[in-house]
Amino acid sequence: MGEILDMLARDAPPGDFESLLRRAGGLPLGSDRMDRLHHAVRTALDIRATAEQQRRRESALAALVDTGRDIFRHKGLDERLDVVTRHARRLLGLDMAYVSLRIADGGSYVHNSDGDTTALNVGLAMDPGRGLGELAQDRSAPYWTADYLADDSFPHTEEIDAVVRSEGLHAVLAVPMSSGGRMVGALYGASRAVRHFSPDEVSLLRLLADLSAPAIEATRRMDGVRSELARALAENTRLDEDLAAARCLAEAQTTLSGMCLEGRSLHDIVRYAASALGGDLAVQDAAGRVLAGTGEPPRTDTATIVRSVVDSRESASAVRLADGLWAAQVATGVEGPGLLVCRPGEAFGDERRSLLHFTAQTVATVLLRHDLATAAGPIRDDYLDDLLSGASGASGAPRHLAERAHRLGLDPASDHVMVVLRPEGKQGEAAIWASSYAYRHAGLKTVRRECLVLLLPGSDPSAAARGAVDELTALLGHAVSAGAAGPVHDFASADTAYREAVRCLDTLIAIGGRGGVAAAGDLGFLGLLVSDDHDVEAFVATAIGPVLDYDRQRATDLVRTLDAYFASGGSPSRAALELHVHTNTVARRLERITDLLGADWQQPATALEIQLALRLQRAREAVRRP
């Protein structure tokens, strides 16, 4: 008995106990002693088995604790399920382990698998009540079989059987995974040999399932929260984008409305709208003629125009044409409806379609305004022709001129300027533009000597001419020259201003200023030759007025010094001899002149005007002498 206790103490293997019995059988111990020996060995083996089972349970529990820690070290669902299946295989010595997750509308699907040799298992769908996992979940209890394909005690499906057959599986154990009374899925263990699972193995896999289910459920809930948050963020981003697009749309519509109210041209409006829409635009009339456009204007045939006009009118919005074009009806109510066609450079969303439709309405307003201006054009042209002709008699009397002006919405008592433009070709297009421009600026227009003549409200002829030239140049695509005169204080002197503006234009062309703008004041001393009032005093004051004032106030001799300086060919020393003063005196006087006239007074053009002013001043003084 002491030897048996020693064997138990050193955890001798079962074979040593069997050897002890064999050795005792060869001894004369008697039957009673042999029975006691056999009983003692059986008892020792039972004690040993119990201890071994306890060690295995303790080892399994320790492994479960490690598994739990490993599960919670990971955050994602896939990583946590990989931990569960990997530890399940190790704990039970399985060939394969996998997890199926419950589907909201019933049934489940295999989410993760470890030890599989084919790609058939992951993603496998299991209908409600089909397969061991579904049975385990329905009954909230483990379910297993030693040989799956040979066992008819549960319902089979061809899809599951095909996977079992492909993987070469026989024994399969499924335990339910639940958390807080809610079924999460099932944990499976499988062997490629026929195997009877012991209660301890079933219990161990059940413990692993119970340990991992809350973590899996929490992860799925967190994933759902993240998914909802991502959807909310995406929706918020979409709303921000929609709001930004709506703001851009409102800004573009406001700008277009402002341009229309300011009387901007059709081409300006089309150019801005094309930029806002991100594509090329073309305004087409009912016959398909392009009235204005940008880039390479998209063109459409008459049948397409008619169909598009009908569709746009019925839908009260922009409509899609073939070849990626969009169009909106342009209806003025005066002529046949036209079409605004857009070739977008990017996706054409609802905001851009709304902007295209709004642009079409703006274009219709501009065209209607032009139609009204055109309708009144002949009467206004006749009136300006009468003014330029110096018409006399009843039609040309000041009273009748004023009455006609008031009927046309003009104020003859306010200042006006005369602008004469030479468009150099494209006369028809230029004349149409002039009618619109005059209407938008509350002025008059006519055509004479292949030139456009504008009588516009204002007091600065150069500025008025520059504004008209800039717009017409952009329209025609080449330089336009203009002469200007004014201001005209009453319409009776309009013909005089016209002749002066023509002389300024001719002078500008003669001196190589084609493409420029000139009024008499812009031409320097040449302005004296073309101006009707020949304001010599103003010219002299502009050229040398500061020097004259300085001499008058300080009794100096700067004007005579200028005369001597120019007479000596710009030599201070020769000028000093002429003036009978020291050269340094001349140098100091020239510095003072520079302070008064500016650093560029000796530049050729300025020097020429100063010399002319000096001569005019001497002539005026000679004439005034008694």
Side-chain angles (χ1 to χ4, degrees), residues 111-347:
H111 192 282
N112 281 66
S113 182
D114 189 76
D116 48 349
T117 60
T118 70
L120 301 177
N121 195 35
V122 175
L124 175 67
M126 288 166 281
D127 295 332
R130 299 289 178 175
L132 296 184
E134 282 294 301
L135 294 175
Q137 293 178 73
D138 290 343
R139 301 176 184 180
S140 298
Y143 210 98
W144 68 93
T145 176
D147 193 354
Y148 189 94
L149 294 176
D151 193 344
D152 294 330
S153 63
F154 55 88
H156 285 252
T157 67
E158 182 57 36
E159 293 79 10
I160 299 176
D161 287 357
V163 174
V164 171
R165 192 177 297 110
S166 298
E167 292 287 350
L169 301 178
H170 286 278
V172 179
L173 166 63
V175 296
M177 303 175 72
S178 62
S179 174
R182 182 177 180 275
M183 199 60 64
V184 176
L187 173 60
Y188 300 78
S191 176
R192 291 187 172 89
V194 175
R195 174 177 173 177
H196 295 276
F197 294 102
S198 69
D200 284 345
E201 290 174 329
V202 174
S203 177
L204 184 59
L205 194 64
R206 180 70 181 267
L207 284 174
L208 179 58
D210 291 342
L211 177 66
S212 59
I216 293 171
E217 176 66 7
T219 304
R220 294 185 75 182
R221 284 200 303 268
M222 186 58 66
D223 288 345
V225 170
R226 291 193 185 99
S227 178
E228 286 297 323
L229 180 60
R231 280 195 292 270
L233 290 174
E235 178 66 14
N236 188 56
T237 300
R238 186 188 66 79
L239 292 175
D240 286 343
E241 291 173 351
D242 290 346
L243 180 59
R247 286 173 176 167
C248 290
L249 173 62
E251 181 180 349
Q253 290 178 338
T254 300
T255 301
L256 285 171
S257 298
M259 294 176 71
C260 184
L261 292 174
E262 290 170 4
R264 299 286 288 275
S265 69
L266 176 63
H267 296 273
D268 286 344
I269 288 174
V270 169
R271 277 194 295 269
Y272 172 80
S275 175
L277 288 165
D280 291 330
L281 278 180
V283 181
Q284 297 180 341
D285 63 12
R289 294 186 297 267
V290 177
L291 304 180
T294 63
E296 182 62 31
R299 296 179 178 273
T300 52
D301 54 40
T302 303
T304 302
I305 291 175
V306 173
R307 185 176 64 254
S308 303
V309 166
V310 172
D311 293 344
S312 179
R313 183 171 56 211
E314 290 178 350
S315 63
S317 64
V319 296
R320 188 184 185 93
L321 304 183
D323 303 324
L325 299 179
W326 289 82
Q329 177 195 17
V330 176
T332 64
V334 177
E335 296 182 352
L339 202 64
L340 179 64
V341 184
C342 178
R343 181 190 291 116
E346 53 188 73

Side-chain angles (χ1 to χ4, degrees), residues 554-572:
R554 293 173 174 78
T556 52
D557 217 4
L558 297 184
V559 173
R560 202 160 68 89
T561 301
L562 272 175
D563 266 329
Y565 177 73
F566 284 122
S568 64
S571 170

